[in-house]
Amino acid sequence: MKKINWGIIGTGRIAHTFAQALAGCESAMPAAVASRALEKAKNFASEFGFSKAYGSYEELACDSSIDAVYIATPMSSHFKDTMLCLENGKNVLCEKSVSLNSAELEKMLSLAKEKGLFFMEAMWMKCKPTFLKVMNWINCGNIGTVRYIKADFCNFVPYNGDDRLFRAECGGGALLDLGVYPITLAASIMGNEPDEIISFAHIDRGGIDLSNSVTLRYKQGFASINSGFEIANNNNAVISGDKGSIVIGDWFLCSCEAVLYDRNGAELERSVLPNEINGYEYEIKEFCRCLNEGLTESPLVPHSVTLAVMIIMDKCRRDWGMKFPQEL
C-alpha cells in the first residue's frame, strides 16, 4: 500500500487529535500543515512531525506533494476550504458537519466527481470497529426488522458568546455540531429518506439552536433523537428490532462497547473493541485504503448518507426558521 502524504488545514483541538492518530498509521505520512498564523503552523508541525508548515491554506492546497487534505476549520469555512483543495487536485477528508447545508455539499460532491477525486466526511464513528460490529449484527438479522432507534448527544456547555458553538456566522448550534451523529446513525440503519421529519428547537437570541429534538418516522418504525448544549445526557444508543435489541455504550459515537440482546432482554453477545490509538485512526485507514484502491467514495461513509443527513438537517432548520447569515 502506497503511503499517503497528508496535509491538515486548521490547527485547533480536533486537528491535534487527528494528528495524533495520523502519526500511528503506517499508511499515512504527516507532510504539511497550514494555519492563518504561520507561527501556529510551525509549532503544530514541530509537535506532530510534519515536514512543512504554511501560513496560508492556499499554499498547502497548491503543494503538489500532498495527496490528501484533512479540513479541520470551523463549519462555516468547510465549503470554501474544501472547494479550494478540490480545485487544486487534492483528495479531501472534511470534518463534520461537512457543510452548512445540502446545497453546499452538492457543489462539493459535483466538483469532486468532475475532478475524479476522493471525498469523504470525517464521520469517524462509522469507521470504528464497534459501529461495524453493530451493523453486522443488524445485517445478519440478529435483531430482526429495526423498529426503533433512540440516540442522544447532549453536553452541558456554558454559554459563551465568543465560542463558535454559539455564533451563527460560524455555523453554530447543536444540530450541526452534535445532532449530526445520531441522525447519521439513524439514516445509516433505517434509510436516507424518512417519511416524516418532526422537530423542535430552543433557539437563542443569536439565532442558533441551544437544544433540539428530532423524530424521523419510517414505514417500519421511527428514530428519536435529542441533541443540545443545555443538559448532559447518558448519550448511549438503543436500536430495537422485533427479534432483539442492541445497546451501544455511553458516548455511542466513540463507544468501544456494544451489547446484543434477545427480545426478552437476555444478553446474547457483548463486543468490546478498544481503540488502537484514539479512534480517529480508523477513518484515516479507510481513507488511505480507498485512495490506494482508486475509489472516489468510501463504502463505509457513502456520499448518499452524508447528503441525506444534510437534507434532514436543512428541513429541521427550515421548520425552526433558523438560517445562517451566509444563507440569507
Side-chain angles (χ1 to χ4, degrees):
M1 180 179 287
K2 173 185 176 290
K3 274 202 172 188
I4 304 302
N5 288 330
W6 280 86
I8 294 181
I9 285 181
T11 54
R13 178 181 55 82
I14 202 163
H16 283 70
T17 304
F18 185 87
Q20 289 166 0
L22 194 69
C25 293
E26 293 183 359
S27 56
M29 176 69 69
V33 61
S35 171
R36 293 300 188 195
L38 180 58
E39 195 61 31
K40 284 186 178 180
K42 287 181 176 179
N43 290 340
F44 190 100
S46 176
E47 181 177 357
F48 295 106
F50 285 76
S51 55
K52 300 177 185 176
Y54 292 116
S56 75
Y57 301 162
E58 292 78 10
E59 287 178 284
L60 188 148
C62 292
D63 185 335
S64 60
S65 70
I66 302 300
D67 301 309
V69 178
Y70 171 61
I71 307 292
T73 52
M75 264 179 276
S76 56
S77 299
H78 286 178
F79 174 71
K80 177 181 65 177
D81 297 337
T82 294
M83 295 295 276
L84 170 68
C85 291
L86 292 173
E87 286 283 8
N88 284 279
K90 301 296 183 287
N91 302 286
V92 172
L93 177 65
C94 183
E95 256 312 325
K96 74 213 85 63
S97 288
V98 71
S99 58
L100 292 181
N101 53 50
S102 60
E104 286 187 347
L105 177 56
E106 286 175 340
K107 291 177 183 177
M108 293 154 80
L109 294 175
S110 177
L111 182 57
K113 183 177 181 180
E114 176 189 325
K115 297 278 189 176
L117 296 166
F118 184 84
F119 176 82
M120 175 175 146
E121 180 182 34
M123 184 52 72
W124 66 302
M125 171 186 78
K126 294 194 67 176
C127 300
K128 283 176 60 64
T130 296
F131 186 91
L132 300 180
K133 181 68 171 180
V134 167
M135 293 303 293
N136 180 255
W137 281 339
I138 293 170
N139 293 334
C140 288
N142 289 13
I143 64 171
T145 300
V146 175
R147 300 294 188 192
Y148 171 72
I149 294 174
K150 190 280 295 181
D152 299 330
F153 194 4
C154 297
N155 297 328
F156 175 69
V157 182
Y159 185 87
N160 178 353
D162 295 325
D163 191 318
R164 67 166 183 85
L165 296 176
F166 301 99
R167 296 171 59 190
E169 68 272 19
C170 293
L175 183 67
L176 267 65
D177 193 73
L178 303 179
V180 64
Y181 288 100
I183 293 174
T184 296
L185 178 73
S188 299
I189 294 170
M190 298 191 81
N192 290 343
E193 298 182 9
D195 295 294
E196 187 176 11
I197 301 168
I198 305 166
S199 67
F200 307 92
H202 175 200
I203 306 294
D204 82 340
R205 62 184 178 276
I208 60 95
D209 63 307
L210 295 176
S211 59
N212 63 73
S213 180
V214 179
T215 298
L216 306 177
R217 185 180 64 80
Y218 295 84
K219 288 182 175 62
Q220 76 270 28
F222 62 96
S224 176
I225 292 160
N226 296 287
S227 63
F229 304 137
E230 297 180 292
I231 61 169
N233 266 3
N234 183 285
N235 292 328
N236 67 349
V238 179
I239 305 161
S240 299
D242 52 14
K243 293 182 181 178
S245 63
I246 297 167
V247 176
I248 310 176
D250 293 358
W251 296 94
F252 72 91
L253 70 156
C254 56
S255 179
C256 296
E257 179 173 293
V259 185
L260 173 66
Y261 298 93
D262 68 15
R263 60 162 57 99
N264 297 314
E267 183 177 317
L268 298 177
E269 186 177 346
R270 182 177 295 265
S271 172
V272 181
L273 300 166
N275 294 328
E276 296 173 15
I277 305 173
N278 60 20
Y280 281 56
E281 62 272 22
Y282 303 109
E283 66 179 356
I284 295 170
K285 290 179 181 180
E286 172 65 4
F287 192 106
C288 293
R289 180 191 70 81
C290 290
L291 211 56
N292 271 291
E293 292 181 9
L295 303 179
T296 53
E297 68 177 294
S298 163
L300 299 185
V301 193
H303 295 165
S304 59
V305 176
T306 302
L307 180 58
V309 171
M310 289 307 308
I311 290 171
I312 290 169
M313 295 195 295
D314 283 354
K315 169 66 164 59
C316 292
R317 290 195 300 111
R318 278 199 305 272
D319 290 348
W320 307 339
M322 176 181 159
K323 284 188 175 183
F324 298 113
Q326 301 93 321
E327 298 175 305
L328 298 179

